[in-house]
Amino acid sequence: MASKTVLVRFHEKIGYLVFGSPGIIRKKGVGVQTGVGAIRLFGTKSQLHHQCGYLGATRERNAGISHGTQQNRLSPLQPTPLGHTAAPSETIRTYATMNTHQPGPMPEYQVDPYRLLEDDLKEVYSYIKTALRRNTYQEDLYEIATYYFDGNGKALRPMVAILMARAMNYHMYKENRSLLNAQREVAMISEMIHTASLVHDDVIDQSDFRRGKPSVNVMWNHKKVTMAGDFILAIASMMIARIKNNDVTLVLSQVVTDLVQGEFMQLGSKETENERFAHYLTKTYRKTASLMANSMKSVAILAGADEQLAELAFQYGRNLGLGFQLVDDLLDFVSNSAMMGKPTAADLKLGLATAPVLFACEKYPELNPMIMRRFQEPGDVEKAFELVHKSKGLEQTQFLAKQHCQEAMRIASMLKESPFQKGLGVTADYVLNRMK
Ligand code: FPP
Ligand code: MG
């Protein structure tokens, strides 16, 4: 397996910026290339050890690299050790959109998780639509509820749930159809909870478009849309009940609690910088990472994982989710609406101070009163946007995202080697380097 050279052909739907999972060891060269939306490490294992504090994974060929342990994780307001000078916004935008394939030999082997799981994933959306259809004869309720299940999303949540399920089953020498079917249900439930929350979120945020089309709140009235979100959640709850596993029911119910509390936290702000960053991270865990963490934990529980192994799955999802949201918050400043399929530079307009702004405060304290008044005064949004680009806030956000994605890779490397386990590492790399 290790000698095979396979080209990454990541899913066509995904704007995958770079190849270069630190979990994949290249033969020559050491370097760090950074740019917003593009950061990669490459080098031999020993060189990386020297350079990055390689922690030593269990297997030579699948070694993970991490400096994401609790002790050496970057403190949120600490300046990035990458030592960049702040790039002007044009440069940052160029970085974010350019192809940064590295010269030099291809890595030894790679895995494309979407291809690997093609069969598993192909029916996720039709199953979800069937489940919704079976439970209503009301045409418009069905139409609104299925609006986002059009197969145009990244399907990251179901993909990673099935990936973890298969990696975990392999790790535990478990292979049976009914187990995998229950785990596939978790993958669908995870996508349904996510979509129900987006449907509600679009009403709350009064969004214009999502996934390259008018958002659901633009198409139908708010009362109907809100109820359609509830309907998706209700059907997801029935599916949870049918799994008939109390631990899984508890774990997945926690996700909904977290989502609501995360969204609620977003409505408030904190006075001091430290409080604000802690508030932001907790909000981010609840709004984004909890769903991934608890879905990973659920498929592990179904596989019969003990507490320690279930925690490993949870931590993989938690780190992946935190990395994902940090990159999302970064892309809001550096990407464009066409690429993202949703409006960008949106967070400031919604009054939200995400990581790039919170980091930028360090250099530009004049951001503090703007944060407190939620960028409501004329010119606040433009000024804050400019200051973020002048600061190192974008690089620092990316650095923090990288810490979490590398931690996810390190955790994945602790599972028994399999294409699915490798896929978990590649997914963390994709999350870090995605463009949309
Ligand atoms: C998108 O955030 C929204 C979420 C990740 C969660 C929203 C949660 C709720 C509305 C609570 C209710 C939950 C359920 C399950 C009904 P965003 O606005 O930052 O991202 P966007 O740019 O994609 O809109
Ligand atoms: Mg929104």
Side-chain angles (χ1 to χ4, degrees):
M1 189 87 176
S3 61
K4 266 190 202 159
T5 300
V6 187
L7 187 71
V8 161
R9 287 163 298 139
F10 229 107
H11 204 234
E12 290 77 20
K13 284 190 236 170
I14 283 170
Y16 184 68
L17 189 58
V18 294
F19 170 77
S21 162
I24 296 166
I25 305 303
R26 289 181 177 220
K27 289 206 157 49
K28 284 187 185 142
V30 141
V32 178
Q33 183 195 340
T34 61
V36 173
I39 184 162
R40 37 201 266 126
L41 285 157
F42 49 99
T44 63
K45 189 173 152 188
S46 58
Q47 285 166 322
L48 286 166
H49 175 80
H50 177 70
Q51 186 181 328
C52 314
Y54 173 73
L55 294 179
T58 47
R59 274 174 296 273
E60 170 90 7
R61 278 174 293 138
N62 200 38
I65 298 161
S66 169
H67 31 188
T69 57
Q70 213 56 47
Q71 306 91 282
N72 59 5
R73 181 167 292 153
L74 180 75
S75 116
L77 295 172
Q78 188 182 316
T80 169
L82 293 175
H84 299 301
T85 46
S89 55
E90 287 75 20
T91 316
I92 291 169
R93 282 179 192 281
T94 313
Y95 270 136
T97 49
M98 72 188 179
N99 186 323
T100 58
H101 277 282
Q102 287 294 310
M106 285 303 294
E108 282 184 330
Y109 55 82
Q110 304 174 9
V111 166
D112 176 344
Y114 283 99
R115 282 202 192 239
L116 193 63
L117 302 180
E118 214 163 345
D119 287 343
D120 286 307
L121 287 171
K122 116 177 134 213
E123 301 200 313
V124 162
Y125 290 108
S126 60
Y127 275 38
I128 292 174
K129 286 199 247 182
T130 306
L132 295 167
R133 172 83 286 177
R134 264 206 304 262
N135 286 283
T136 182
Y137 294 111
Q138 301 190 62
E139 257 335 294
D140 48 353
L141 178 57
Y142 175 75
E143 219 186 309
I144 304 168
T146 53
Y147 185 64
Y148 285 143
F149 296 117
D150 58 1
N152 287 330
K154 288 184 276 291
L156 176 67
R157 287 153 189 87
M159 187 275 278
V160 78
I162 297 174
L163 208 49
M164 177 59 82
R166 286 188 173 272
M168 196 54 80
N169 297 352
Y170 187 80
H171 184 84
M172 301 188 66
Y173 302 100
K174 291 234 170 110
E175 195 58 67
N176 75 68
R177 190 131 293 279
S178 71
L179 166 62
L180 198 57
N181 282 343
Q183 290 167 322
R184 281 205 196 97
E185 290 281 314
V186 171
M188 288 189 264
I189 290 163
S190 166
E191 188 67 355
M192 290 172 81
I193 295 175
H194 171 59
T195 305
S197 80
L198 292 184
V199 168
H200 282 195
D201 179 73
D202 282 346
V203 172
I204 295 167
D205 289 352
Q206 300 175 21
S207 325
D208 301 319
F209 63 109
R210 179 181 293 285
R211 296 181 182 165
K213 64 183 188 182
S215 49
V216 64
N217 53 304
V218 172
M219 302 293 290
W220 291 277
N221 81 51
H222 290 180
K223 292 178 185 176
K224 286 188 173 180
V225 170
T226 307
M227 284 183 280
D230 293 339
F231 181 64
I232 300 169
L233 196 58
I235 306 306
S237 309
M238 286 164 68
M239 288 164 71
I240 295 173
R242 281 201 200 98
I243 294 176
K244 292 191 169 72
N245 181 307
N246 284 344
D247 290 336
V248 169
T249 303
L250 269 172
V251 164
L252 291 176
S253 306
Q254 182 65 46
V255 172
V256 183
T257 315
D258 285 339
L259 276 167
V260 174
Q261 295 201 77
E263 189 73 2
F264 212 84
M265 281 178 83
Q266 198 169 274
L267 301 173
S269 24
K270 292 280 169 204
E271 293 278 344
T272 69
E273 279 184 37
N274 278 344
E275 269 184 331
R276 229 179 259 146
F277 214 97
H279 184 85
Y280 166 79
L281 289 178
T282 307
K283 184 269 308 171
T284 301
Y285 167 74
R286 290 179 173 169
K287 251 187 81 176
T288 309
S290 168
L291 176 59
M292 296 196 194
N294 287 303
S295 304
M296 300 296 102
K297 187 172 178 180
S298 297
V299 296
I301 290 172
L302 289 171
D306 61 18
E307 223 169 275
Q308 209 182 347
L309 200 51
E311 177 65 15
L312 181 145
F314 177 92
Q315 289 300 340
Y316 172 85
R318 177 182 157 273
N319 280 286
L320 191 77
L322 291 173
F324 181 90
Q325 190 56 51
L326 284 159
V327 171
D328 216 60
D329 293 344
L330 176 73
L331 289 174
D332 195 55
F333 281 90
V334 300
S335 191
N336 59 56
S337 309
M339 182 77 79
M340 295 292 280
K342 63 180 183 181
T344 47
D347 291 336
L348 291 174
K349 290 179 203 151
L350 286 168
L352 304 178
T354 57
V357 187
L358 298 178
F359 280 126
C361 267
E362 219 184 335
K363 185 159 183 206
Y364 298 107
E366 59 265 45
L367 282 164
N368 284 313
M370 292 189 222
I371 293 173
M372 288 316 292
R373 59 179 183 253
R374 297 180 78 89
F375 312 104
Q376 288 303 300
E377 281 188 11
D380 277 358
V381 167
E382 294 73 17
K383 187 71 194 163
F385 193 81
E386 186 200 324
L387 293 178
V388 165
H389 280 275
K390 274 166 66 182
S391 74
K392 289 184 182 169
L394 296 167
E395 285 89 341
Q396 286 169 299
T397 302
Q398 192 189 37
F399 188 82
L400 190 57
K402 184 170 161 237
Q403 300 276 342
H404 285 294
C405 290
Q406 288 189 335
E407 179 63 2
M409 286 171 201
R410 187 189 69 82
I411 293 168
S413 77
M414 292 160 82
L415 291 172
K416 197 145 89 82
E417 190 173 316
S418 72
F420 310 111
Q421 171 259 1
K422 283 188 180 56
L424 289 170
V426 173
T427 301
D429 190 45
Y430 148 64
V431 161
L432 180 62
N433 293 302
R434 74 199 173 95
M435 289 174 71
K436 64 174 193 173

